[in-house]
Amino acid sequence: MKDHESSVPSLAPISAGRGSVPASYVHLGVEPPAPEGMSAASLLQMQLGILRKRFWYLLALGATGFGIGFALYLPQAPQYMAATTIELQPVAETFLGTTDPLAGSFSAANLNAQTQISILRSGSLMTAALERMERESAITAPPPPGRFSSLRRRFGFVPLEPAEASREAIHTAASTMNPRIIPGTRIILISASSTIPEVAANLVNAVAAEYVYQNQQYRSSAVQRTSQWLVGQLEETKFKLEQAEQKLQEFVRKSGNVFVMSEDTLANSRLRQLHAELTTAQTDRINKENRYTFAKGKSAETLPPDISVSVVQQLSSLDGLRRQMADLTTTLMPGHYKVQRLQAQIDAAEQALARERDNIMERLKNDYEAALRRERTLSAEYARQASTVTGQADVAAEYGTLKREVDILRQSFNGLLQQQTQFSLASAIPVSSVRVIDAARPNATQISPSLFKELVRGGALGLLLGYGCAFLHEHLYRRRLERRFASPGNAGRLLNVPELGVIPTKNLGFSAQRPFFRIRRRKGTLSLTSAAPETPREPLHIWGDKTSIVAESFRLTLTSLTRTAPGNAAPRVVLVTSPSPGEGKTTVAANLGVAMAEVNRKTLVIDMDLRRPSVHSVFGLTPEKDWTSIVLGDEAITGEAVERFLHGTRFEGLSVLAARAASASAIHAIFNSPRLDALLAVLRQRFSMVLLDSPPVLQFPEARLAGRLSDGAVMVIRSRQTERDAALVALRRLAEDAIPLLGTILNDWDPKVGGGLSHHYGNDYYSRYYEYQTAAESTGREAD
């Protein structure tokens, strides 16, 4: 807003150099804190404030929710629950080679329990249980009286006929029957609820009894069917076994073969013996062939020791002789007799070794040829025996088939005999896998509906809706405030004009006033009608309290209004107006006059709202003399003539020119008369400041006509009431008439709802400030 200070240097408010901060903050000499993110405590405080402000939403919708909860509770018939428990018992005995699933692993037991629950929920079991219940019991007991039973009957929510009530109770019990497994056990809890306790108890007992009966019937029929099947299978198997044995014996007699161990023939046994001998001969031939082949290309020195021990000995002797020869040749000549004798011994040993090698090779060859002849002989014998066995293969195959058939039939017969024995023992003991633990009894304790739950549910829903409506209303309210001037600084930011001051609403009578005029819409037209205000407090009572924050606000506003820049004079004739009625401009003009008179400046307040003059009522005066008569008369306008129309006030230095209500034609004549300009010229000479209280700019032309004769206009904007568009249109009207706009005054600002910085620099700050000041003054007087 520094550009505003340059455009209107003599009238710029104190806050112009500090952004949009209200002038009251600057007056304290404290900079407001920088805006930061709202903390959790501040957010909670804001929400609690909204709930306190919109408490009636919570109260009304909460009460409505309780009513809805009761309305939902009333049509519901009281229901009573009954329950019985049954145990799924495991069968430990082996039955037909299988074990009961409940005696097995946990997964199998759990699967079986779920299967039994599905059976209990089946429609066939429920139908049989209902038929059993009709046969065994007759429901004649009426529903027990409960809370609001008479009210339910009156509204027709409860059947009056006993038969109809019984049918409804049975239907309710059948639809609510619920079996469930108790975790960690083999116990199934069967429960049902009904409008008659006896019906619920009888139904669950009938379901349990029918389930036990069907389970026993199933096992009995299974035992009977199994017994018949076993007897038939035993007789058939025994007959087949006898026939198979007879066929086997006849085959053995007719074949004429001698079977070894009743399984094989002698030819087969001889063939297996020859096969074993042939395998041994082949192994021996292969080993001897390998030894002969290995030794054939080897010298005597390289033959392995296991072939001939004599060769090893001869090699050892030959090695000894060769070492002796080596020793002698080192000292004796080859022609020496010792060397020659030793050489003769070495030659004889080598010849003996060669003969021994030839003998060994001959022996290995003979062994190999003997093994080969044995292998060939056994192979020929095995081939002859194999051909013999092949001729007897068909007979042996038939014998094996008959023998296997006999063995299979005998094994099956023995198994059936064992199963029949076990089954006879198991069927002799009556076994049931289901046992009823606790039979159901009628329970007169109502389980549903719950009045408390319905009321809590409805009340919670109502409070939730109230909470939502409260915040929705607050959101809409704040959205509406965005179109209005709710907080200090909005006028300077939105209208691009200086904000001269902020007048709080505390202790000020106009905060409870109604507007002088109300706009009514009739058939597409706008009309103004008078609105009778409530009896307000005296708007000037603030000047009797030295610590009044409102009085300080007017002093501060006057400081901004009269502040002069170098080379410029303060305004002497100031037009006080507003965009619409009810903005508080008359009260603002009167209090600005009082604030001006406090500094020993002669001040005059002129009531120019001739449609509904009210300045005299603000000061408690009786308008005996009307200043408009000067303008409408022919008397020269001089200081002495004007003096007769002045009304003194209880504030020294402050005078008032009062007026009476005038007609529209008279008003038009007064404000278009050149004598009005002469009157203001005389008053400009006699008073330091003349405040013109004019009607609203948008509804009447007086403000625009009088503003042309003033030094500038001050527009009063009421917090949370003045529309932004209305203020913009009013400013445009003044600009079109070339009327200087000195600034705006935010009136009736509530620090608690104005938002922004009010939490830090509100009324409490001023109160503490003046408490400290008063205490300091008292201390000073006591010291004197």
Side-chain angles (χ1 to χ4, degrees):
M1 293 181 60
K2 294 182 179 181
D3 54 343
H4 300 156
E5 185 174 354
S6 60
S7 60
V8 192
S10 61
L11 302 174
I14 294 178
S15 61
R18 298 177 183 259
S20 60
V21 180
S24 56
Y25 301 150
V26 183
H27 174 71
L28 295 174
V30 181
E31 287 289 341
E36 297 178 355
M38 184 174 293
S39 62
S42 300
L43 182 61
L44 178 61
Q45 184 179 4
M46 181 192 72
Q47 293 182 349
L48 293 178
I50 294 176
L51 293 180
R52 285 194 299 268
K53 184 178 179 181
R54 313 292 180 187
F55 175 72
W56 289 107
Y57 280 101
L58 296 179
L59 186 61
L61 291 179
T64 304
F66 282 118
I68 294 175
F70 181 76
L72 294 176
Y73 166 80
L74 192 61
Q76 304 180 42
Q79 294 190 7
Y80 309 87
M81 188 180 73
T84 184
T85 53
I86 60 176
E87 180 188 5
L88 301 179
Q89 297 177 335
V91 180
E93 292 82 8
T94 301
F95 182 71
L96 297 181
T98 60
T99 306
D100 193 281
L102 291 177
S105 62
F106 171 77
S107 59
N110 184 58
L111 181 62
N112 182 73
Q114 296 299 328
T115 303
Q116 302 308 314
I117 289 177
S118 300
I119 295 175
L120 286 169
R121 290 176 177 170
S122 63
S124 59
L125 182 65
M126 178 58 66
T127 302
L130 291 176
E131 294 176 355
R132 175 187 287 267
M133 187 175 66
E134 291 178 359
R135 293 193 306 268
E136 297 178 356
S137 62
I139 303 301
T140 58
R147 291 182 297 178
F148 310 107
S149 57
S150 59
L151 190 60
R152 288 191 177 95
R153 292 191 183 93
R154 181 174 302 176
F155 284 101
F157 297 141
V158 178
L160 300 179
E161 295 295 333
E164 183 180 357
S166 298
R167 286 195 298 270
E168 183 177 346
I170 293 174
H171 176 73
T172 303
S175 61
T176 57
M177 196 278 296
N178 180 36
R180 61 183 181 88
I181 188 74
I182 298 178
T185 66
R186 298 190 305 269
I187 298 176
I188 295 179
L189 176 68
I190 306 175
S191 62
S193 59
S194 178
T195 54
I196 301 178
E198 289 78 4
V199 171
N202 292 338
L203 178 66
V204 295
N205 287 333
V207 170
E210 187 64 26
Y211 176 69
V212 172
Y213 172 75
Q214 290 187 4
N215 186 272
Q216 292 177 349
Q217 286 295 110
Y218 169 74
R219 287 185 174 270
S220 298
S221 61
V223 167
Q224 185 178 1
R225 291 193 304 269
T226 305
S227 177
Q228 295 176 356
W229 180 83
L230 280 176
V231 172
Q233 290 295 319
L234 277 172
E235 293 178 355
E236 182 180 358
T237 305
K238 181 179 180 182
F239 177 74
K240 290 181 179 180
L241 178 61
E242 292 175 353
Q243 288 184 340
E245 288 178 347
Q246 185 178 0
K247 288 182 180 179
L248 180 61
Q249 293 174 2
E250 291 179 355
F251 175 78
V252 172
R253 286 195 302 268
K254 291 179 179 180
S255 61
N257 293 301
V258 180
F259 292 93
V260 180
M261 299 297 294
S262 300
E263 293 181 357
D264 204 354
T265 63
L266 293 176
N268 286 334
S269 300
R270 177 59 180 166
L271 181 64
R272 283 195 294 273
Q273 182 181 358
L274 289 174
H275 182 269
E277 292 178 359
L278 178 60
T279 302
T280 304
Q282 288 175 345
T283 303
D284 183 58
R285 190 265 306 168
I286 291 172
N287 293 333
K288 290 179 178 181
E289 183 180 4
N290 290 335
R291 290 168 62 88
Y292 174 70
T293 303
F294 177 77
K296 183 184 293 185
K298 302 292 183 179
S299 60
E301 291 83 358
T302 59
L303 289 176
D306 59 338
I307 294 179
S308 177
V309 179
S310 58
V311 173
V312 176
Q313 295 176 355
Q314 291 178 5
L315 287 174
S316 178
S317 300
L318 182 61
D319 290 338
L321 294 174
R322 288 174 178 173
R323 284 196 296 273
Q324 293 178 9
M325 175 62 73
D327 292 336
L328 289 176
T329 55
T330 57
T331 57
L332 299 177
M333 296 299 290
H336 196 274
Y337 74 95
K338 289 183 179 182
V339 174
Q340 293 179 354
R341 185 177 54 190
L342 187 57
Q343 182 64 40
Q345 293 178 359
I346 291 174
D347 294 339
E350 289 178 350
Q351 293 176 0
L353 181 62
R355 289 192 299 271
E356 185 64 25
R357 178 187 176 283
D358 294 337
N359 294 334
I360 291 173
M361 292 302 298
E362 186 66 22
R363 185 175 66 250
L364 290 177
K365 180 179 179 181
N366 294 334
D367 292 341
Y368 164 66
E369 292 177 350
L372 181 59
R373 288 192 297 271
R374 176 174 173 74
E375 180 185 0
R376 291 174 179 174
T377 302
L378 289 175
S379 296
E381 183 65 23
Y382 180 79
R384 288 193 299 270
Q385 190 64 29
S387 62
T388 303
V389 171
T390 303
Q392 299 177 353
D394 296 337
V395 177
E398 185 176 358
Y399 173 81
T401 300
L402 293 175
K403 186 65 172 63
R404 284 192 298 273
E405 183 179 359
V406 171
D407 293 340
I408 292 172
L409 288 174
R410 183 176 291 110
Q411 184 178 0
S412 299
F413 182 75
N414 294 333
L416 288 173
L417 284 176
Q418 184 179 2
Q419 290 180 359
Q420 186 181 27
T421 302
Q422 295 177 355
F423 179 75
S424 300
L425 294 175
S427 60
I429 303 173
V431 177
S432 177
S433 62
V434 181
R435 179 175 68 94
V436 178
I437 301 176
D438 291 325
R441 297 179 180 179
N443 186 6
T445 303
Q446 178 180 339
I447 61 167
S448 68
S450 174
L451 179 60
F452 176 75
K453 291 182 179 179
E454 295 294 341
L455 291 179
V456 168
R457 191 179 304 167
L461 180 61
L463 292 176
L464 183 62
L465 291 177
Y467 179 85
C469 290
F471 277 86
L472 178 61
H473 192 185
E474 183 68 18
H475 174 70
L476 295 178
Y477 173 72
R478 293 184 180 273
R479 289 288 301 272
R480 186 178 63 183
L481 289 184
E482 291 179 0
R483 303 293 303 172
R484 301 183 180 184
F485 301 92
S487 302
N490 287 349
R493 184 175 64 256
L494 300 176
L495 302 179
N496 198 25
V497 295
E499 186 174 74
L500 300 178
V502 179
I503 310 301
T505 189
K506 183 178 180 182
N507 298 327
L508 196 57
F510 59 72
S511 63
Q513 292 184 19
R514 294 178 180 176
F516 294 138
F517 295 92
R518 290 181 179 174
I519 302 177
R520 293 184 178 178
R521 186 179 301 274
R522 294 180 180 176
K523 297 181 180 180
T525 60
L526 296 177
S527 62
L528 294 176
T529 58
S530 174
E534 299 177 355
T535 303
R537 297 180 63 184
E538 164 59 45
L540 303 177
H541 75 282
I542 58 175
W543 301 101
D545 185 6
K546 183 178 181 181
T547 63
S548 172
I549 180 178
V550 184
E552 283 296 327
S553 299
F554 279 111
R555 295 188 185 103
L556 184 58
T557 302
L558 182 65
T559 302
S560 300
L561 180 62
T562 59
R563 182 179 179 224
T564 59
N568 294 321
R572 300 179 69 88
V573 179
V574 178
L575 177 71
V576 181
T577 185
S578 63
S580 304
E583 310 287 357
K585 54 181 179 50
T586 300
T587 305
V588 171
N591 283 278
L592 285 177
V594 176
M596 188 69 178
E598 270 191 340
V599 295
N600 298 323
R601 301 290 183 90
K602 293 184 65 178
T603 308
L604 175 65
V605 179
I606 303 178
D607 191 351
M608 288 192 169
D609 189 356
L610 303 183
R611 302 175 188 275
R612 194 177 185 278
S614 58
V615 173
H616 62 277
S617 62
V618 173
F619 289 95
L621 304 175
T622 302
E624 299 176 354
K625 294 172 287 186
D626 187 357
W627 65 269
T628 59
S629 59
I630 301 178
V631 179
L632 296 176
D634 297 332
E635 183 182 1
I637 299 178
T638 61
E640 293 75 8
V642 173
E643 190 69 28
R644 297 195 305 269
F645 293 90
L646 295 177
H647 292 78
T649 64
R650 60 188 178 91
F651 300 98
E652 185 177 357
L654 178 61
S655 302
V656 174
L657 279 180
R660 297 188 180 95
S663 62
S665 58
I667 294 174
H668 183 71
I670 292 170
F671 282 90
N672 285 281
S673 174
R675 292 175 62 83
L676 180 60
D677 190 6
L679 176 62
L680 292 178
V682 172
L683 296 176
R684 188 187 295 269
Q685 298 298 325
R686 294 179 60 87
F687 294 93
S688 299
M689 178 172 288
V690 178
L691 299 172
L692 308 180
D693 179 26
S694 68
V697 176
L698 300 181
Q699 285 77 24
F700 308 104
E702 293 89 288
R704 301 173 63 182
L705 295 173
R708 298 172 183 176
L709 307 177
S710 66
D711 296 334
V714 174
M715 183 172 293
V716 178
I717 295 174
R718 191 158 191 169
S719 177
R720 305 184 309 279
Q721 178 173 323
T722 303
E723 295 284 348
R724 185 197 312 176
D725 295 339
L728 289 173
V729 173
L731 292 179
R732 189 179 300 113
R733 298 279 176 83
L734 296 178
E736 291 172 355
D737 295 334
I739 300 174
L741 181 62
L742 303 180
T744 62
I745 297 176
L746 182 64
N747 187 19
D748 195 15
W749 173 57
D750 189 353
K752 295 182 179 179
V753 299
L757 307 171
S758 60
H759 297 290
H760 301 281
Y761 301 97
N763 300 336
D764 295 339
Y765 187 94
Y766 280 98
S767 301
R768 291 194 298 269
Y769 175 80
Y770 281 112
E771 287 175 2
Y772 297 152
Q773 183 183 19
T774 305
E777 292 176 355
S778 301
T779 304
R781 287 194 297 269
E782 291 176 0
D784 294 340

